[in-house]
Structures are given as structure tokens and as C-alpha cells.
Amino acid sequence: MLWNTVLLALRELKRNVMRSILTILGIVIGVGAVITMVTIGGGATAQVKEQIASMGSNLLMVSPGKRLGPGQSSGNIPFKQADAEAIAREVSSVAAVAPVSSKSIQAVFGNQNWSTQVTGSDNQYFRVTNRSIRSGRQFSDSELRAGAAVCIVGETVRKKLFGGQDPIGEKIRLQKLSCEVIGLLEGKGQSTMGMDQDDIVVIPLSTFQRRISGNQDVAIIQVSVRDGAPTEKAQRDIQLLMRERRHLSASDDDNFNVMDMKEIAKMLTGTTQLLTALLSAVAAVSLLVGGIGIMNIMLVSVTERTREIGIRLAIGALESEVLMQFLVEAVVLSSFGGLIGIALALTASIWLADVLHVPFVFNAGIVIIAFLFSAAVGVIFGYFPAFKAARLDPIEALRHE
Amino acid sequence: MNMIAFSQTDNQHLIELQGVTKVYGTGQAAMHALRGIDLHIEEGDFVAVMGPSGSGKSTCMNILGCLDTPTAGAYKFKGIEVGKLTRNQRTRLRRFYLGFVFQGYNLLNRTSALENVELPLIYRGVPSGVRRVRAVQALDRVGLKGWDSHTPGELSGGQQQRVAIARAIVTEPAVLFADEPTGNLDTARSREIMDLLTELNRDQGITIVMVTHEMDMAAYAKRIVRFLDGLVESDEQNGRTA
Ligand SMILES: Nc1ncnc2c1ncn2[C@@H]1O[C@H](COP(=O)(O)OP(=O)(O)OP(=O)(O)O)[C@@H](O)[C@H]1O
Ligand SMILES: [Mg+2]
């Protein structure tokens, strides 16, 4: 009987294909948006977590400004190299401290060029970020002190500029700085918010300051805590030290930030989660609008088919059977919209994941929830029209023209 | 299925109307379609209802067919007072015991003749295979063999009327109500339909109540009831039993 009702509903919807399609558009968009957002958001979150895991949980980031955001630190007293040295010297639980400044620059070798992230730091940088040199060597102390024109390149930069050629000993140009490649970093693989960790050129900090930024500032200090030492204590020690060095009185707030990876992860995933929540709200509204659209069309349909309803009631259909017929029609309509939305969303997600360089993480849960939700929209918004149909008086309905 | 329990007593009528009135509208605009009908119909009877237009024949048929309820008075079907049943109970009565040929056919548009005829069987829960066979048979009996797939729009008025008759008889109901079943048919077709009704009445014991304007058709019935202004004017056995 239910199967019959479903077939009946499908036939009824087929009679008005265009109307049916327009009716479910709201549901298609709602379901499609929710699934796309959650899938892409989930992929981005997974990626952030993965990268943070690869950086190690004992990493601390010290940055000027109240709160660390991607590239957000303006208007605050910057750090100097001496601050990094002070942390290394005074905080006992740290294993390595690296002052870091970086800038996106066009690197040129011969007729090849490639826009990459040029980072000024010292050998501690490789310890802190857990990277090793695959071939060549680290910076020497004299190179670091003198601000020599030498660099260590990442795997992506090697590929883009040198192709199959050995880069060691070659000279690449970074703006006006021509520097010799002395080392090649071990590849880390693609990761983090579409950022390729191997797309990097490391030069001595003093070289960066003198030849690229033109000042003595350090953008951020990266600290790795000794294995087994509590990161909370290191965080607190660094905080106290920095307050002292920055001459903050007891009543002043911190004008810098010491964050561990957990907090950074929370912040980064928080952004994507907020975005997901916002867009999901938009999607929910469009589901609601879709539901109202379905109710509207079902009401029109009930009026148009008053005679049919009268005939069915007169011939022996129970109220519940007429109710069921129209309810099933509404649910078939809305879940059809749901299915189309799911198909569109998965296609869009795979494409977007590719474009945004985030992994495509299939979330079966949200697909099922979205489908059930679309079916529920049909039940909720189809109920009133169906009830209206079932309550018609057969004699009145038969006289309806 | 919540069947209706009929109380069987010996000298009980199949259908019994006692002072049935039907008023449409209220106050000044009130329309007294039936003014007090007393009527008994026994099982196996074949009754022709005649009377001028507007005399209340269709109104009375709707009440007999449990589609409508009297404003006052009582309608008892197999001893059960229909006016006291719920809507769903009346629907079950129609579904399992009654067949109805409407004055205006009332077929589903855009639906094939076969599916129209199958409809009452669907609500009776007859499995689709059996349903199809019986619907084809019913169409055959009204002379519409081969017209299964035509929709009402593709059929003539007379053909539509015969589909409506097929739909009413396909369930082999205990009582068949037919409101002018031959109103749109030529004499030859009308006689075929009347022969069919006579056969159903005689061989299957189906009680038939039929409205007609034509004396020729009424002649097939065992009994003729005449309506006038919402009252039974005369009620007599038919001399010439077909
Ligand atoms: N739903 C209704 N609302 C108001 N008046 C109605 C309604 N149904 C019938 N009537 C009126 O009741 C009266 C009896 O109508 P009914 O249809 O029973 O006549 P009838 O004997 O079947 O006539 P006909 O031979 O033309 O079919 C008519 O005057 C009609 O206008
Ligand atoms: Mg009539």
C-alpha cells in the first residue's frame, strides 16, 4: 500500500515536472550548501590538525599583539633578536628558540621564477620546526653573524627553479639579493590551509633584516619546549620574561601573546567552525524557505485536485489514506530535492577541495542528517495541505469545478 | 480492518429510511431537498427511482450511499444507523458494501479507464494482479474491451458513463446505487447496460437502486418509486418484471 502510494506520488509529480523542479530548488540549495560547507570545513579542520601534529605539540609561538591571527600583529612593539636570545638564556625548560621573519618574494634562477615564502631565521629554526637538511649544510656561525648571502631551499622551490638539476652551489635571486644555495630541506609534504610547507627559502635572519625588511624587527619567536617539560610552565616563564623586557607594569595587559599549538589549533579550527556555523544558518534558512515553497505548492495541488480527492473519498479512501497520499507526495518531493542537493554538494566539495587545496573528507553523518532533514521538511510542511485534503467533504468536493 | 458489526434480526430491512429530511443552507436561503422520506428496500430488490428534476433523487441517493447524512430522521443500513457512524466508519461501509455510479460519472482525469476501474479494489486491498484481471473483466462487461488505456478525456460521454458503471460493479458490492446510469447512452447501449444490471441483480443477488428519467429503463426494475418535491409520491411493484 505504501509502495503504491509512493508510485502514485511519483506519477503525480511527473505530471508537473517543471513545477516540481522549481518547488524543490530551495531544498536542493539548502541541503547542497550544508553538506558542502561541512565537508570543506571538515577538510580544512582535519588539515590544520594534521599540520599542527606534524609540528609537534611542544611548540610555542610568541608574537607581538594581543592575539595571534594569521598575519595580524600591527601597531605593537615588535620583537628583536635579543628577545629570542633572552628566552633561550633565561627560560630553563626550552629546547630551542628561533626568531622568525618572513615575506613572500619572487625567487629567480636563470629564466625560471617562483613566488615563495622567504624566511629569515637561524639554525634553531630547523630544530623548532622539526625539519632536517637533506643535502648540503646548515648556516655557519659566521654566515649568521655577517648576514651572508646564502640560503637553504625547500623541495617545492627546488623543483620549480632547478627541475632535475642539483641546486647546491647555484645562485638564486631574491629581490636585489643574490644568494648561494647551500642546503636543501627534507620534504614535509603539502599541508595546512593550502600552504605548502616545502614552498620555502630560509636565509640568515641578519641577512633578511638587512637586505629584505630593512629593519631589526623579528615577526615571531618560535620556541620548542624540552621533552617532558610542561608547556604551561614554559609559557608562563616566557610571559613573565617578556613582560619584564617590555616594561609592563602590573596593571598593564600583555601586548604580546604566547600560544601553544593547542591554542593555535583551536583558533584556526575556530575560524572554520564559525564560518561553517554561519553558512549552515544560511542553509537552514533556505531549507525553511524550501519547506514553505513545498507547502505552497501542495496547497495549490490540493485545490486543483479537489474533485480527485472527492472521488477517492467517495470510492472508499479513508481520511488517513488521503492524508498519506499527499504527505508521501510532499516527502517524495522534498527528499528528491535532498538527493539532488547531496549529489551537487559532493560534486562541488570535490571540486572546491581541489581548488582550495584541502583534503576531501567524506562526512557520511552530515549526508544522512541532511537527507533526513529534507524528508522531515516534507513531512512538516506537507502535513497541513495533506490534512486539508483529507478533511474535505466528499459531496462538496465532487461538486467542485 | 475495523469491520462494522451488523446486528442481524429476522424481519429487518436492508435499507430503511424513516422521516428523512435534508435541508441545504439555513434561514431564508434554506433549501428543503428532502421533506420526510419513508422507504424500505429489501435485499435482492431492484428499485427504479423516478421523478422530475430537483425532486431530491440525487440527494436521497447520496444519503443511501452513505456519502451524506440526513438533516433529520434516520437511515438504517442493515439495522445500523448511518447518521451515528463516524466519517471513517461510513467510508468503510462504502468501501466494502456499496457501489456508486455518479450522475456526473466522476472519473479521475488523466488516469486510464483501467486504473479508474481498479481504484475501489485498491482501497479494498486487492493485490495488483487480481485487481487488473477483475478490472479488465468489468470493462469487458460494459462493452469497453480494448479501451483500458484510454483516459476519460479520450472517451465519449457514453463511454465515460460505462467506465463509471464498470468501476461501481467491479467490487461486486452488496448494493449498487446508480444515478441515471444510462443518461448519456443510446437506446441500444442503454438496453445492454440494463441487461447487465438485471443479470447482476438476478445472478449475483446485488441489490440495485437506480435513478432514471426513462420509463423504458425503469421497466427493467422490480419496483418503481416516484419522487416529487422531496417526498415519495408513489411506490409500487413493477407489473412487467424483466
Ligand atoms: N449541495 C447542495 N447545496 C444546495 N442545494 C442543493 C445541493 N444539492 C442539491 N441541492 C438542491 O436540492 C434539490 C434537489 O436536488 P437533487 O440533486 O437531489 O435533484 P435531482 O432529483 O437529483 O434532480 P436531477 O434529476 O436534475 O438530477 C435541488 O433543488 C438542488 O438545487
Ligand atoms: Mg440528480
Side-chain angles (χ1 to χ4, degrees):
Chain A
M1 191 69 201
L2 184 68
W3 182 236
N4 272 331
T5 318
V6 173
L7 288 180
L8 196 71
L10 280 174
R11 205 171 61 184
E12 203 52 54
L13 299 175
K14 230 167 58 191
R15 278 186 182 142
N16 263 312
V17 177
M18 199 58 201
R19 186 160 94 183
S20 302
I21 289 172
L22 291 175
T23 306
I24 59 177
L25 216 52
I27 304 277
V28 170
I29 293 168
V31 167
V34 170
I35 296 179
T36 309
M37 289 317 129
V38 172
T39 305
I40 294 297
T45 307
Q47 193 179 45
V48 168
K49 285 191 180 138
E50 177 205 329
Q51 189 218 14
I52 280 157
S54 83
M55 288 201 289
S57 57
N58 56 352
L59 186 64
L60 296 178
M61 298 263 195
V62 188
S63 55
K66 292 236 182 302
R67 196 104 181 92
L68 176 96
Q72 152 214 325
S73 59
S74 60
N76 285 290
I77 310 154
F79 292 125
K80 303 289 179 195
Q81 183 159 10
D83 291 311
E85 283 161 5
I87 292 171
R89 195 171 57 238
E90 317 239 336
V91 181
S92 56
S93 55
V94 307
V97 179
V100 177
S101 280
S102 57
K103 192 179 176 192
S104 184
I105 286 175
Q106 191 92 356
V108 183
F109 174 70
N111 56 3
Q112 301 292 313
N113 58 68
W114 178 248
S115 177
T116 185
Q117 194 69 17
V118 174
T119 296
S121 192
D122 56 29
N123 289 327
Q124 296 296 305
Y125 179 76
F126 307 117
R127 280 186 69 190
V128 169
T129 57
N130 222 345
R131 312 191 63 138
S132 51
I133 307 283
R134 185 180 353 149
S135 63
R137 58 173 179 84
Q138 296 192 341
F139 303 118
S140 71
D141 284 349
S142 61
E143 281 165 347
L144 287 168
R145 233 177 299 117
V150 290
C151 63
I152 296 170
V153 299
E155 182 56 24
T156 303
V157 176
R158 182 196 65 74
K159 241 184 289 174
K160 295 290 178 186
L161 292 185
F162 299 97
Q165 203 181 327
D166 179 14
I168 308 292
E170 299 293 340
K171 287 210 154 156
I172 62 172
R173 200 158 49 75
L174 308 166
Q175 288 176 351
K176 275 175 235 147
L177 170 71
S178 171
C179 62
E180 183 192 339
V181 179
I182 57 165
L184 175 65
L185 285 170
E186 192 70 59
K188 267 209 156 186
Q190 193 137 333
S191 205
T192 311
M193 311 297 282
M195 255 160 56
D196 178 358
Q197 294 194 81
D198 294 325
D199 190 3
I200 190 171
V201 172
V202 186
I203 59 174
L205 179 65
S206 48
T207 315
F208 185 93
Q209 290 171 331
R210 230 171 285 162
R211 313 286 295 271
I212 292 180
S213 66
N215 58 43
Q216 294 297 302
D217 299 348
V218 167
I220 183 171
I221 302 172
Q222 297 191 6
V223 179
S224 73
V225 181
R226 264 209 329 266
D227 282 343
T231 50
E232 290 77 15
K233 181 170 186 320
Q235 237 172 321
R236 211 165 42 246
D237 290 348
I238 293 170
Q239 187 193 9
L240 290 174
L241 176 66
M242 285 297 132
R243 284 185 70 85
E244 189 191 314
R245 291 181 61 84
R246 290 162 87 88
H247 311 294
L248 296 178
S249 67
S251 61
D252 291 334
D253 284 335
D254 290 350
N255 58 4
F256 59 90
N257 217 287
V258 188
M259 284 211 279
D260 69 3
M261 288 327 276
K262 277 198 292 283
E263 288 173 278
I264 291 168
K266 222 190 305 176
M267 191 199 68
L268 288 176
T269 57
T271 333
T272 61
Q273 276 163 3
L274 180 69
L275 210 65
T276 304
L278 269 174
L279 290 164
S280 299
V282 171
V285 169
S286 89
L287 271 182
L288 184 75
V289 172
I292 292 168
I294 283 185
M295 174 145 78
N296 183 33
I297 284 301
M298 291 308 294
L299 282 172
V300 169
S301 177
V302 167
T303 309
E304 277 179 358
R305 286 153 67 195
T306 300
R307 262 177 79 79
E308 175 200 324
I309 297 162
I311 293 167
R312 290 179 181 279
L313 288 168
I315 293 282
L318 293 173
E319 280 177 39
S320 59
E321 286 162 342
V322 172
L323 184 97
M324 202 42 115
Q325 183 190 336
F326 281 85
L327 210 50
V328 165
E329 216 166 286
V331 172
V332 165
L333 201 57
S334 67
S335 32
F336 213 68
L339 286 180
I340 295 174
I342 288 168
L344 282 181
L346 293 183
T347 315
S349 300
I350 289 170
W351 177 75
L352 270 176
D354 190 49
V355 168
L356 300 175
H357 299 291
V358 299
F360 171 74
V361 183
F362 178 71
N363 185 337
I366 193 65
V367 169
I368 291 167
I369 288 172
F371 179 74
L372 293 179
F373 211 86
S374 64
V377 164
V379 173
I380 293 163
F381 291 94
Y383 191 85
F384 175 62
F387 180 77
K388 231 185 114 179
R391 288 302 296 167
L392 283 175
D393 178 62
I395 295 289
E396 294 286 313
L398 286 175
R399 290 170 71 92
H400 188 267
E401 265 321 312
Chain B
M1 205 136 311
N2 163 24
M3 297 291 279
I4 294 138
F6 295 108
S7 54
Q8 288 290 342
T9 54
D10 279 344
N11 56 358
Q12 179 193 294
H13 312 284
L14 173 67
I15 281 170
E16 187 177 354
L17 294 180
Q18 292 170 338
V20 164
T21 67
K22 183 73 190 181
V23 183
Y24 291 111
T26 50
Q28 286 290 306
M31 169 73 221
H32 295 260
L34 298 177
R35 297 168 184 273
I37 304 281
D38 297 302
L39 193 67
H40 298 168
I41 296 173
E42 311 306 329
E43 224 169 303
D45 210 348
F46 186 168
V47 183
V49 177
M50 302 190 75
S53 188
S55 57
K57 305 183 296 294
S58 293
T59 305
C60 187
M61 290 291 270
N62 286 343
I63 289 172
L64 291 175
C66 301
L67 286 164
D68 212 349
T69 48
T71 308
Y75 167 32
K76 286 186 182 161
F77 182 84
K78 290 198 178 190
I80 287 190
E81 193 167 342
V82 174
K84 292 193 175 144
L85 297 178
T86 64
R87 244 175 80 126
N88 278 335
Q89 284 172 321
R90 275 188 281 132
T91 301
R92 290 207 167 84
L93 256 185
R94 289 199 298 277
R95 176 192 283 194
F96 292 107
Y97 298 97
L98 312 180
F100 212 105
V101 183
F102 301 95
Q103 194 169 6
Y105 326 142
N106 284 325
L107 299 176
L108 292 184
N109 295 324
R110 300 178 300 180
T111 305
S112 73
L114 187 75
E115 286 170 307
N116 263 291
V117 177
E118 277 187 72
L119 197 61
L121 297 178
I122 291 177
Y123 291 123
R124 277 195 179 194
V126 176
S128 67
V130 182
R131 215 156 67 201
R132 189 137 297 222
V133 171
R134 286 175 66 178
V136 169
Q137 275 172 0
L139 280 170
D140 195 9
R141 292 188 87 168
V142 297
L144 284 177
K145 199 183 189 118
W147 292 87
D148 310 17
S149 56
H150 290 69
T151 62
E154 300 162 353
L155 295 171
S156 72
Q159 286 170 325
Q160 291 181 43
Q161 187 151 40
R162 284 184 279 153
V163 174
I165 295 168
R167 184 179 64 186
I169 64 171
V170 74
T171 55
E172 299 185 346
V175 190
L176 175 65
F177 297 99
D179 200 345
E180 300 199 35
T182 60
N184 258 299
L185 302 181
D186 58 59
T187 316
R189 280 287 178 211
S190 299
R191 295 208 173 279
E192 278 173 38
I193 293 298
M194 293 318 298
D195 288 336
L196 172 62
L197 293 186
T198 308
E199 198 183 301
L200 289 171
N201 175 249
R202 190 184 54 218
D203 301 344
Q204 263 141 299
I206 296 178
T207 308
I208 298 177
V209 182
M210 171 189 76
V211 175
T212 180
H213 279 293
E214 296 163 88
M215 199 49 224
D216 285 357
M217 303 304 135
Y220 282 82
K222 295 176 181 167
R223 178 180 162 200
I224 300 178
V225 176
R226 285 174 205 278
F227 274 52
L228 187 63
D229 286 340
L231 287 168
V232 175
E233 184 201 28
S234 73
D235 182 350
E236 52 206 21
Q237 293 300 314
N238 193 354
R240 181 206 127 184
T241 305

